[in-house]
Amino acid sequence: MSLLHQWDIVLVPYPSATNLHYLVLLSPNHLAGNADFRNLNGLVCSTLRPPDRPIRSHEVFLDAADGFENKTACRCHLIIEFAREDILRTRSRVSAVRQLAIRRKLREIFAL
């Protein structure tokens, strides 16, 4: 596995071994880039169905600027822990504009 960074988009088996999802890696670089830290934190992403549905209060949309072919929802209400060893591949990085939107959404949801 290549060096990981905060805001990377990674594919992991979640919530089960047969169900794969992309996650936005939230762990800071000093943890994400250090293999001694076996567990990391992320936000689950899902392709929108139907693709024209409105945004929900806990989501930020991701799209081609973030490496997705289809409009994708990043669910910001639930931060999950996952094992570094479960990462199947790294897809891309969240764009700077969406990073800012996710930060704002996390502050809003968790009253940070």
Side-chain angles (χ1 to χ4, degrees):
M1 178 62 46
S2 63
L3 187 61
L4 296 171
H5 298 91
Q6 187 177 49
W7 302 113
D8 283 347
I9 298 171
V10 297
L11 182 66
V12 299
Y14 177 83
S16 67
T18 59
N19 195 351
L20 304 180
H21 275 88
Y22 284 100
L23 304 179
V24 172
L25 180 58
L26 283 184
S27 296
N29 288 337
H30 69 277
L31 301 178
N34 184 339
D36 290 337
F37 289 91
R38 294 189 174 154
N39 292 329
L40 302 169
N41 296 294
L43 300 171
V44 178
C45 300
S46 297
T47 302
L48 286 185
R49 290 190 180 83
D52 61 344
R53 81 157 168 82
I55 192 167
R56 295 179 181 148
S57 64
H58 62 279
E59 296 174 331
V60 170
F61 285 157
L62 304 176
D63 61 19
D66 310 292
F68 288 99
E69 296 88 33
N70 301 306
K71 200 170 186 183
T72 300
C74 176
R75 298 185 209 145
C76 299
H77 69 295
L78 179 64
I79 299 171
I80 66 154
E81 180 181 24
F82 63 97
R84 176 188 301 271
E85 67 191 30
D86 289 343
I87 296 173
L88 302 173
R89 69 179 162 115
T90 301
R91 181 181 190 120
S92 59
R93 288 182 53 83
V94 176
S95 66
V97 171
R98 296 310 181 336
Q99 289 178 27
L100 183 57
I102 291 170
R103 283 186 181 107
R104 284 186 192 133
K105 188 61 68 177
L106 290 171
R107 282 193 296 269
E108 176 186 315
I109 291 170
F110 294 104
L112 298 174

